[in-house]
Amino acid sequence: MRITAALALGLIQYAEATDALIAQLEDGPDWRRVHASARALGLLYAERAIESLERIAARHWYPPVKEAASQAVRVIRGEEEYPAGRTNSVFFAHEHAGASLTATSRPFLDLGPDELPAVFLAQRTYSAEVFDMGEYPSRVKKRNQRPQCGLRVSDGYLLGASRGEWGGELVHQRDDATETHILYTHVVGIHRLGPHIIVATGLAHLGGNTGRLYRVFAQGETFDVEPWRQLPGAPQGSGWLADGRLYISCFGGAVLVSPEGDFEMADSGMLPAK
């Protein structure tokens, strides 16, 4: 909603929002808000935002955000105009901002601490609720789901899977076989990153493309999650490089993630291909 609101404020020329939009340029966890706020400030021709926009253009980790900030500065200075187009396209521009950055190959990735190998995952299932499209009207049925990623925890496992447009989930499966569903979304990777357990999630389907890291934390006898960082797009895969850095390939660019949650773009030309 903040992304849509920021762009709407620019489109309706609501100059009173300038300071709030400048403040949103400092949003670290979600690059999309920075991208939208830069565009909105350009639409407002907000001269007092130029210094902040130039700083974002020079220092932000994500190239599409840098370009959005640079373009906003050029528009404010009268050196460029935003192209005419359908208003609706403005609100979804961030979903494909990094389309040209999508990696075509992945480096060789290792398993991290307590991560479950494919041979183990192939022998395990958990209970999932899945839409059965073979009947009309379609309805939800329980089925055994084979996990695609997993992590050993003190009393069992965190297991996850993605069924594409048909959903996915993160499940806590205890050693006594009891289960708790923690998160209903498309789960691609589960990792220990510094003091955190993080889950890479997201989906690219039809016109949509979104990816997010959740942080997992203990909650009573099980776990809960909270949004942590927004990825460049839906994750295609994640794992560890030989030098100990966490690599996530997304539809929107490949990133390296630090234990503090800082991103940097992975230079595919310097990584050994898988």
Side-chain angles (χ1 to χ4, degrees):
M1 286 191 293
R2 291 190 180 194
I3 295 164
T4 302
L7 291 165
L9 291 167
L11 288 165
I12 66 173
Q13 297 291 291
Y14 189 73
E16 289 88 341
T18 298
D19 290 338
L21 291 167
I22 292 173
Q24 195 159 255
L25 292 175
E26 306 304 322
D27 191 316
D30 194 340
W31 65 268
R32 303 170 306 167
R33 296 180 190 172
V34 185
H35 188 271
S37 297
R39 176 67 177 256
L41 288 164
L43 290 166
L44 290 172
Y45 300 96
E47 292 187 3
R48 68 174 181 271
I50 287 179
E51 182 179 351
S52 296
L53 288 166
E54 288 181 331
R55 184 174 64 254
I56 295 300
R59 300 179 185 176
H60 201 275
W61 64 270
Y62 197 33
V65 172
K66 289 183 174 184
E67 174 51 31
S70 294
Q71 185 181 30
V73 171
R74 296 193 298 271
V75 169
I76 293 168
R77 288 176 171 162
E79 301 168 357
E80 185 177 328
E81 293 183 359
Y82 286 119
R86 294 184 304 169
T87 301
N88 284 349
S89 66
V90 174
F91 291 104
F92 300 100
H94 61 273
E95 297 209 6
H96 303 283
S100 64
L101 302 173
T102 299
T104 56
S105 63
R106 284 210 313 260
F108 180 81
L109 300 175
D110 291 324
L111 292 175
D114 298 323
E115 292 177 20
L116 305 177
V119 65
F120 181 93
L121 296 171
Q123 300 171 9
R124 203 160 196 90
T125 63
Y126 61 81
S127 177
E129 294 183 344
V130 181
F131 274 107
D132 184 352
M133 302 303 293
E135 297 183 6
Y136 182 82
S138 60
R139 59 194 181 96
V140 173
K141 285 187 175 181
K142 287 191 174 181
R143 55 168 267 191
N144 289 329
Q145 172 69 49
R146 197 175 306 282
Q148 297 160 359
C149 54
L151 185 77
R152 176 69 184 175
V153 293
S154 61
D155 63 344
Y157 306 94
L158 291 173
L159 304 172
S162 172
R163 294 180 293 277
E165 62 183 298
W166 307 119
E169 58 279 311
L170 176 69
V171 175
H172 177 206
Q173 187 179 79
R174 300 171 187 81
D175 289 328
D176 64 6
T178 58
E179 297 176 351
T180 301
H181 284 61
I182 301 168
L183 180 66
Y184 292 93
T185 193
H186 312 87
V187 175
V188 176
I190 310 171
H191 308 283
R192 292 191 187 277
L193 180 66
H196 309 295
I197 296 175
I198 63 166
V199 181
T201 72
L203 177 67
H205 180 63
L206 299 178
N209 175 36
T210 187
R212 175 178 287 174
L213 295 180
Y214 285 87
R215 187 178 73 87
V216 181
F217 57 91
Q219 183 72 26
E221 296 183 353
T222 186
F223 296 90
D224 204 347
V225 296
E226 62 182 3
W228 192 50
R229 297 290 187 270
Q230 197 72 26
L231 291 167
Q236 300 168 278
S238 58
W240 299 89
L241 299 174
D243 61 8
R245 294 179 296 172
L246 180 62
Y247 173 97
I248 305 178
S249 175
C250 305
F251 288 102
V255 293
L256 304 172
V257 189
S258 76
E260 295 74 31
D262 296 325
F263 286 175
E264 63 176 297
M265 296 299 296
D267 185 349
S268 58
M270 299 180 64
L271 298 172
K274 186 172 180 179

